[in-house]
Amino acid sequence: MELCDLTLHEIKDLFAQKEVLPSMVMASVVKRIGEVEEKLGAYLALDLEAALAAARAADDRIKAGRALGVLDGIPVAIKDNLCQAGRETTCASRILQGFVPPYTATVVQKLLDQGALILGRTNMDEFAMGSSTENSAFKPAKNPWDPERVPGGSSGGSAAAVAAGEAIAALGSDTGGSIRQPAAFCGVTGLKPTYGLVSRYGLVAFASSFDQIGPLAKDAEDCALMLSAVAGFDPLDSTSVRGTPVDYTQELDRELTGRTIGLPREYFGEGLDPEVRRLVMAAVAQLEDLGARVVEISLKMTEYALPVYYLISSAEASSNLGRYDGIRYGRAAAGREDLAAYYTRTRAEGFGPEVKRRIMLGTYALSAGYYEAYYQKAQQVRTLICREFAEAFRVVDAIVTPTSPTLPFRLGERLTDPLAMYMSDVCTVPVNIAGLSALSIPCGFARGLPVGLQIIGRPFAETTILNIAHQYQKVTGHHRARPCGTGHDRAEQEGGSPDEV
Amino acid sequence: MKFEAVIGLEVHAELATATKIFCGCATKYGAEPNTQTCPVCLGLPGALPVLNEKVVEYCLRAGLALNCRIADFSKLDRKNYFYPDLPKAYQISQYDLPLCRDGFLTLASGRRIRITRIHIEEDAGKLIHSPEGEGYSLVDYNRAGVPLIEIVTAPDLATPEEAVEFLEKLRGILIYLGISDCKMEEGSLRCDANISLKPAGAKHLGTKTELKNINSFKALGRALAYEIERQSELLAEGKTVKQETRKWEEAKQRTLPLRSKEETQDYRYFPDPDLVPIELDPAYVAAIAASLPELPEARKRRFIEGYKLPEYDADLITGSKHLADFFEAVLKFYFSPKAASNWIMGEVLRLLGEEGLTPEALAVNPAHLADLLRRIDAGEISVSQGKTVFEKVFRTGASPEEIIRAEGIRQISDEARLRAVVAQVLQTYPQSVHDYLNGKIKAAQFLTGQIMRETKGQANPQLIKELLAEELAKLRP
Amino acid sequence: MRVSEEEVRRVAELARLAFSEAELRQLAGEFNRILEAFAKLNEVDTTGVPPTAHVLKVKNRFRADQIRPSLPRPEALRNANAVKDGSFVAPLVME
Ligand SMILES: [Mg+2]
Ligand SMILES: [Zn+2]
């Protein structure tokens, strides 16, 4: 196994033993990027020179035993919607092409302060709108387990990069499942923190009341380390929650005895791939074996989550994306004679079809005469969804569901059907609606493709869901499978060849 | 037919905070373009607003001073529209739950003008229109994000005069509260007016027009008067008034319809998800209420009752916080209220007027005016000498003592010496004496003038008056 | 509730977007399919249910009125497409 296929915590231990230096890990990652990036399209921009220079500085600190933090010398990737001063930030949109922020997002600053090596900026669906990374204006990213399939989205680039060893860990953002669904599709672990836990300052907004930044990594322990590094109160974000810093690894080793896990029957209904169901149920059995008590629960509001999510997120997006007019930044249409025509041309040329669709939907939902029927109604149902989760969490410590009802689909397969694409998020959006914590871990392979298990926790109960995930990963090996440059070949995974679909 | 006007005002006041409403950029007026901007007020992708606590406090001050109810739950909303001076393509404002509502302001007539609401919001940037034919505009975002309160009245005003009085009173209150400098010329106080006409006594409201670009109190009065005339003519001719926004054209003293887009505005207000609700602790609100300064109305009463000033004086002086502060500062050094009031209403306002200055620009040290009043009362200098000295105090900032010494100004009250001068003048101008004795009282003025000339203006005028009368009486046949 | 192409055109104007006739037709179709699916929400009785704009219980988040450095002007202007006299150049605005 190459260094780039190791986990963050394994590398951190090797650093501690002074057996390995950051430059060596960087070399391995750079080599892997050279081998697979062209095929996968995980990155929109690489910043290897800066990362290599940072690695040499980290070498000295590691050698001197003066690491800045657990992330010191660790090569990480960040999604292209996180601002970093001096680095072009495009959100995979033509309209932001050439935009170089004069400031750095709080989370990126935290990574830099702890000595992390920022490899580059990962591919995504334009403005994080999508579930396949096909909406990137520049190129689609591919699934490392099968490059003919999508890596999920919108943080598809981050998920693919981590899965393929093009980064040790990565940051993504999750508005309706954009960390968890690609994590599931790429066979990595992805965590969406509770709304308010991680500062959004510097995250280019899609839907402000849902957006959260979180880690994609090779296992739950790595997610816990990454989360510990980026979580915490930020005075620059009014929706950031005050609290003392938490070590999210603290409960990893707790036994599951005494934990109650809920299985909501609404998530196992129509549209669920039988293979996905089988693997998820096997994982649930495993959790029971580990001592957890599993109870069936009902979340009747689930079927309303998708419309609630799409109406509110599109409404917020339509407003958040009004600022792209080419005057202060980003691409502008030629000719400035007529104000209205200028705006329209700039935006019509700059935004891709899915972004336009959401802006349209959101504008419609907020416009005079429709506000009550759509936006306000969705907000009221949002209240009911929140209440239902709160009720459920009086009985259970965590809720387990599939992350995605289907296996990674083929590129182009759902592009022409927005509604079918939206269905990809059916299991993940309720979590964002209620602002809960949730993660996705690999729970096996079907037809050679990874399947994800979603573990949903109470608000600010990240330690609980990380504990459940870690206990599961201690006794299973799905998270150790690697798609690229390893002895693990797809054929070795259960379920046979992906071409048997 | 006789028409009545129904007028409502929408007033925007820039708050005198050090920083903008949602970021730490300075709000200083007159800075070089785009030197007071940051990712937040430029609306850069990813930047987030955090509310300035002073903005809430200032809005509460205004609300409490204007007898409003303070909301126990309030929030910020986005008002979406596209314009180059609006960096995010939405203005953060308050829609259905403003911080303050249901207040009033009382006019001199005793009429209460209802204040519907006061809310907080951010200002937009400044557009500089390029010269004709250049095909572009320039944008300066220094003002983008400067905090405003918007004060909306009910349509309770009946005349242009009432509207002007309301705005003047409101301005006085905001200045007294120390929350805005209210300079209409710098745009820190802006006023739009809604006006409609209805037949006298009618219940239903007519079609209203909205007047913009009103840049002074005078303009407010004139724009409304113009609009009343215009609408009356239309109605008298049986035509209808078009509901529209009109712009006051100062140069031509008329209102003109603003070129309006076909598209009706649809602002798509919704709660700003980047900001959290405001739920004020009643104890906090009570503390703000307790900390409010004395307001113009109360101060006026106190001036009348405490200083025995005539209502006219008290009203005029308390109309400007600066004048009233100056007045009371003078009294601290020398307690002579009516004299101080006379000097302020007379010399101070006259000199300010000559310089085209507002009372805020008054730079006279109150101790200097007090000193001057004391010297006049003591007979050291005359009132007219005092006026000469004061003008120099006003222009140079030097103390009366310095000026009096440097110019050798003093008053001669030596009776024997003055009597000699009087006698000499009477001898020199027998014709005037003759005239006076024959009933031409005015001749005394001439003689007084000559006495003053002889004494280089230093003679005690009161004493001269007495001595002249005595000496003339002696000459009566 | 059916959405007409005319309605879609109005929304596009409001959002400062433009579509070809074919795109408009397609969008109207998609809108109707999406909104039809979303009409499901009408099944839910929301009488008396307060809307949720924030899942957080956070309130009163204020900052002190303290000046922080603004961007140096070249930084503020660096991403602009056109700059003149220290200002951003925008399309001609007529009043
Ligand atoms: Mg306003
Ligand atoms: Zn700023």
Side-chain angles (χ1 to χ4, degrees):
Chain A
M1 207 180 252
E2 307 277 336
L3 283 175
C4 66
D5 288 312
L6 298 181
T7 62
L8 196 167
H9 59 88
E10 286 164 347
I11 293 169
K12 175 188 68 123
D13 292 345
L14 293 173
F15 285 172
Q17 295 152 21
K18 309 224 166 92
E19 284 180 23
V20 164
L21 285 174
S23 291
M24 296 157 68
V25 182
M26 261 306 288
S28 170
V29 169
V30 170
K31 178 163 167 274
R32 179 63 57 78
I33 289 173
E35 289 162 4
V36 305
E37 173 54 20
E38 203 173 327
K39 187 171 68 178
L40 297 180
Y43 284 95
L44 287 176
L46 284 162
D47 199 7
L48 297 180
E49 228 153 281
L52 285 163
R56 285 189 291 274
D59 285 354
D60 295 338
R61 291 192 295 269
I62 301 291
K63 275 191 269 187
R66 282 201 306 267
L68 295 172
V70 284
L71 294 187
D72 201 355
I74 303 291
V76 298
I78 59 176
K79 190 173 177 178
D80 199 35
N81 56 358
L82 295 168
C83 289
Q84 185 180 355
R87 303 290 194 276
E88 185 185 8
T89 299
T90 69
C91 285
S93 180
R94 238 187 290 283
I95 210 160
L96 263 182
Q97 232 172 347
F99 170 61
V100 179
Y103 79 106
T104 299
T106 300
V107 288
V108 177
Q109 195 58 55
K110 286 189 174 199
L111 293 182
L112 290 169
D113 290 347
Q114 295 181 49
L117 317 175
I118 296 184
L119 295 161
R121 316 182 55 83
T122 57
N123 203 353
M124 56 187 283
D125 285 300
E126 183 178 2
F127 282 105
M129 297 175 186
S131 311
S132 67
T133 314
E134 292 166 287
N135 294 332
S136 168
F138 305 116
K139 59 185 177 188
K142 315 275 173 64
N143 192 316
W145 294 96
D146 178 357
E148 290 184 2
R149 289 173 189 268
V150 303
S154 66
S155 309
S158 288
V162 171
E166 291 189 89
I168 302 306
L171 288 183
S173 67
D174 190 316
T175 304
S178 282
I179 288 174
R180 291 158 288 158
Q181 186 254 21
F185 276 19
C186 293
V188 298
T189 302
L191 172 82
K192 186 211 87 88
T194 305
Y195 186 80
L197 184 61
V198 178
S199 166
R200 295 184 294 119
Y201 190 76
L203 165 69
V204 182
F206 158 15
S208 313
S209 79
F210 299 122
D211 296 342
Q212 267 293 290
I213 299 163
L216 293 106
K218 285 166 187 153
D219 62 18
E221 187 173 349
D222 280 9
C223 279
L225 293 171
M226 286 287 282
L227 183 64
S228 302
V230 297
F233 174 67
D234 180 4
L236 298 178
D237 175 357
S238 307
T239 62
S240 146
V241 169
R242 281 181 218 274
T244 43
V246 173
D247 173 4
Y248 290 95
T249 62
Q250 66 190 4
E251 282 194 39
L252 289 179
D253 288 319
R254 202 185 126 153
E255 287 192 0
L256 294 191
T257 322
R259 297 268 199 219
T260 304
I261 291 172
L263 217 54
R265 67 176 73 93
E266 289 79 4
Y267 286 70
F268 293 85
E270 203 190 324
L272 181 62
D273 185 305
E275 282 295 285
V276 173
R277 176 204 300 272
R278 183 177 63 80
L279 291 170
V280 167
M281 291 316 292
V284 170
Q286 187 76 64
L287 293 173
E288 239 172 341
D289 283 352
L290 285 164
R293 194 168 69 93
V294 175
V295 295
E296 197 174 297
I297 60 170
S298 173
L299 295 169
K300 294 195 172 60
M301 298 303 294
T302 303
E303 58 175 324
Y304 306 111
L306 218 49
V308 166
Y309 170 77
Y310 275 94
L311 286 167
I312 298 176
S313 68
S314 301
E316 292 180 3
S318 72
S319 172
N320 283 331
L321 272 61
R323 70 189 66 193
Y324 301 102
D325 59 16
I327 294 171
R328 292 159 304 282
Y329 43 79
R331 273 175 41 141
R336 309 196 157 200
E337 311 72 39
D338 177 315
L339 190 61
Y342 163 82
Y343 274 115
T344 304
R345 258 184 296 128
T346 294
R347 293 163 60 78
E349 289 169 19
F351 290 132
E354 181 59 25
V355 173
K356 287 183 193 166
R357 191 178 289 123
R358 307 246 190 148
I359 292 175
M360 290 289 289
L361 186 61
T363 305
Y364 179 77
L366 286 176
S367 67
Y370 302 100
Y371 182 92
E372 283 79 13
Y374 291 110
Y375 179 77
Q376 187 172 294
K377 181 81 182 180
Q379 278 202 323
Q380 288 176 304
V381 180
R382 184 178 192 179
T383 304
L384 298 176
I385 293 173
C386 291
R387 284 181 188 167
E388 191 175 71
F389 271 116
E391 273 305 305
F393 279 119
R394 289 157 63 121
V395 183
V396 301
D397 298 304
I399 294 167
V400 163
T401 75
T403 306
S404 163
T406 68
L407 292 170
F409 43 89
R410 288 175 187 280
L411 274 97
E413 194 180 309
R414 297 191 182 180
L415 263 184
T416 51
D417 185 353
L419 213 48
M421 189 71 97
Y422 297 171
M423 289 300 292
S424 316
D425 302 333
V426 70
C427 301
T428 48
V429 294
V431 169
N432 302 74
I433 290 171
L436 307 170
S437 58
L439 53 72
S440 175
I441 52 173
C443 67
F445 288 78
R447 302 191 283 276
L449 296 166
V451 170
L453 175 79
Q454 176 172 242
I455 306 173
I456 305 170
R458 296 184 184 96
F460 305 106
E462 277 77 5
T463 51
T464 305
I465 56 174
L466 283 164
N467 164 235
I468 296 169
H470 182 69
Q471 291 303 309
Y472 176 80
Q473 291 183 334
K474 263 174 43 179
V475 297
T476 55
H478 311 300
H479 62 290
R480 274 189 279 272
R482 302 282 182 267
C484 306
T486 68
H488 296 263
D489 184 55
R490 272 208 315 267
E492 277 179 40
Q493 306 302 327
E494 55 187 303
S497 151
D499 298 319
E500 286 174 39
V501 184
Chain B
M1 200 193 304
K2 191 98 185 78
F3 295 107
E4 280 173 359
V6 178
I7 301 167
L9 299 182
E10 247 182 66
V11 181
H12 286 88
E14 259 181 33
L15 298 179
T17 52
T19 65
K20 294 187 178 180
I21 182 168
F22 297 119
C23 64
C25 287
T27 52
K28 213 163 84 257
Y29 180 78
E32 285 290 300
N34 296 300
T35 52
Q36 291 174 174
T37 68
C38 74
V40 176
C41 57
L42 283 175
L44 293 192
L48 295 172
V50 184
L51 181 57
N52 183 342
E53 62 183 353
K54 268 272 180 308
V55 172
V56 176
E57 185 195 320
Y58 282 9
C59 182
L60 289 196
R61 281 170 163 267
L64 290 164
L66 293 166
N67 312 296
C68 289
R69 244 176 346 101
I70 307 302
D72 41 24
F73 181 94
S74 187
K75 67 182 169 72
L76 290 140
D77 301 282
R78 293 185 182 179
K79 178 182 182 180
N80 297 284
Y81 64 95
F82 291 90
Y83 213 63
D85 63 7
L86 193 65
K88 301 183 295 294
Y90 58 81
Q91 179 196 31
I92 304 178
S93 180
Q94 298 196 276
Y95 183 51
D96 53 341
L97 298 170
L99 270 173
C100 314
R101 63 203 320 169
D102 301 335
F104 62 87
L105 190 158
T106 311
L107 299 181
S109 62
R111 280 214 329 117
R112 271 189 182 185
I113 306 306
R114 287 171 298 158
I115 287 163
T116 313
R117 57 183 285 156
I118 308 177
H119 70 250
I120 54 175
E121 61 184 27
E122 57 181 339
D123 209 343
K126 200 171 87 189
L127 277 171
I128 304 141
H129 306 291
S130 75
E132 292 295 324
E134 293 258 342
Y136 61 81
S137 308
L138 298 178
V139 206
D140 171 10
Y141 291 109
N142 281 350
R143 210 179 59 188
V146 166
L148 301 173
I149 47 173
E150 180 176 328
I151 302 163
V152 183
T153 76
D156 287 353
L157 297 155
T159 64
E161 294 71 32
E162 274 196 347
V164 171
E165 185 194 342
F166 175 89
L167 191 60
E168 276 171 347
K169 278 216 147 59
L170 178 65
R171 176 175 185 271
I173 290 170
L174 299 182
I175 290 176
Y176 267 68
L177 292 170
I179 64 172
S180 173
D181 59 17
C182 290
K183 294 183 179 161
M184 283 192 96
E185 67 282 7
E186 286 181 12
S188 63
L189 185 71
R190 304 196 283 267
C191 176
D192 298 337
N194 291 306
I195 172 163
S196 64
L197 297 188
K198 59 174 190 181
K203 278 267 190 304
H204 71 276
L205 293 178
T207 308
K208 68 177 179 186
T209 56
E210 192 185 347
L211 308 182
K212 290 195 177 288
N213 197 40
I214 295 168
N215 294 323
S216 65
F217 291 94
K218 206 181 274 176
L220 175 63
R222 294 205 175 146
L224 287 170
Y226 178 91
E227 197 57 19
I228 288 172
E229 200 168 308
R230 189 186 70 85
Q231 292 188 16
S232 310
E233 274 172 26
L234 283 174
L235 296 174
E237 289 167 25
K239 293 181 182 155
T240 54
V241 174
K242 192 175 156 204
Q243 176 154 359
E244 63 188 353
T245 302
R246 298 176 69 88
K247 183 183 171 173
W248 172 246
E249 276 198 322
E250 186 65 42
K252 301 202 170 135
Q253 297 284 302
R254 64 175 181 190
T255 67
L256 270 190
L258 260 178
R259 184 204 298 252
S260 67
K261 298 277 281 295
E262 302 303 296
E263 164 200 357
T264 50
Q265 289 289 15
D266 183 348
Y267 292 123
R268 290 159 286 137
Y269 280 100
F270 75 104
D272 191 329
D274 288 331
L275 290 156
V276 296
I278 303 169
E279 281 184 61
L280 298 171
D281 181 353
Y284 170 76
V285 178
I288 302 271
S291 77
L292 289 189
E294 185 184 35
L295 294 172
E297 206 49 44
R299 201 173 199 184
K300 179 177 147 189
R301 290 265 80 82
R302 184 163 61 79
F303 279 21
I304 293 171
E305 281 150 29
Y307 300 137
K308 308 293 175 216
L309 287 190
E311 169 138 14
Y312 177 82
D313 295 34
D315 193 56
L316 191 81
I317 291 177
T318 57
S320 156
K321 178 173 191 291
H322 281 80
L323 278 189
D325 287 347
F326 181 75
F327 169 77
E328 293 209 89
V330 171
L331 296 194
K332 278 220 179 75
F333 294 104
Y334 183 70
F335 192 83
S336 180
K338 181 57 187 149
S341 154
N342 286 346
W343 276 75
I344 288 169
M345 295 193 305
E347 293 310 290
V348 171
L349 287 181
R350 180 180 66 79
L351 290 166
L352 285 171
E354 274 176 19
E355 301 291 316
L357 297 173
T358 57
E360 288 81 50
L362 180 63
V364 171
N365 182 341
H368 289 167
L369 178 55
D371 185 40
L372 203 60
L373 296 180
R374 193 182 50 72
R375 286 170 195 268
I376 293 168
D377 281 358
E380 198 183 307
I381 56 170
S382 68
V383 171
S384 77
Q385 284 174 325
K387 288 182 181 172
T388 313
V389 173
F390 184 73
E391 183 156 351
K392 296 208 161 78
V393 169
F394 181 88
R395 295 196 198 285
T396 66
S399 72
E401 193 182 357
E402 287 166 328
I403 294 164
I404 287 168
R405 197 182 321 117
E407 313 210 348
I409 298 170
R410 65 204 169 87
Q411 182 164 255
I412 302 168
S413 300
D414 178 337
E415 193 180 321
R417 207 178 133 193
L418 288 181
R419 197 180 289 277
V421 176
V422 170
Q424 191 215 314
V425 166
L426 296 190
Q427 266 187 354
T428 316
Y429 299 101
Q431 183 60 45
S432 294
V433 174
H434 177 80
D435 289 350
Y436 178 83
L437 295 176
N438 284 306
K440 280 196 171 175
I441 308 295
K442 265 179 103 180
Q445 275 177 23
F446 170 78
L447 293 167
T448 306
Q450 294 309 313
I451 295 163
M452 276 295 180
R453 222 179 60 170
E454 283 300 309
T455 58
K456 299 192 176 69
Q458 294 175 343
N460 181 329
Q462 189 53 39
L463 198 50
I464 286 177
K465 201 176 158 197
E466 289 166 20
L467 294 175
L468 186 61
E470 281 177 34
E471 291 304 310
L472 283 169
K474 286 182 195 165
L475 296 175
R476 258 180 224 285
Chain C
M1 209 175 324
R2 284 211 57 89
V3 182
S4 66
E5 276 170 50
E6 205 35 60
E7 195 104 50
V8 176
R9 204 189 316 271
R10 181 190 65 86
V11 175
E13 226 168 85
L14 208 48
R16 298 292 188 276
L17 291 172
F19 300 96
S20 69
E21 287 305 311
E23 284 172 327
L24 269 180
R25 214 166 311 126
Q26 194 193 330
L27 254 176
E30 283 169 3
F31 253 55
N32 282 311
R33 281 216 304 137
I34 292 169
L35 293 175
E36 199 179 305
F38 289 4
K40 203 176 204 6
L41 287 187
N42 297 327
E43 296 169 2
V44 187
D45 180 7
T46 50
T47 4
V49 177
T52 293
H54 286 93
V55 287
L56 292 170
K57 295 289 162 267
V58 178
K59 58 185 180 189
N60 298 341
R61 193 48 71 69
F62 305 129
R63 43 169 273 274
D65 184 26
Q66 269 160 13
I67 296 180
R68 293 174 52 91
S70 291
L71 287 172
R73 185 157 76 181
E75 282 291 288
L77 296 172
R78 90 188 250 186
N79 285 292
N81 270 284
V83 167
K84 195 173 188 305
D85 303 335
S87 290
F88 295 87
V89 175
L92 185 60
V93 174
M94 287 177 293
E95 300 222 319

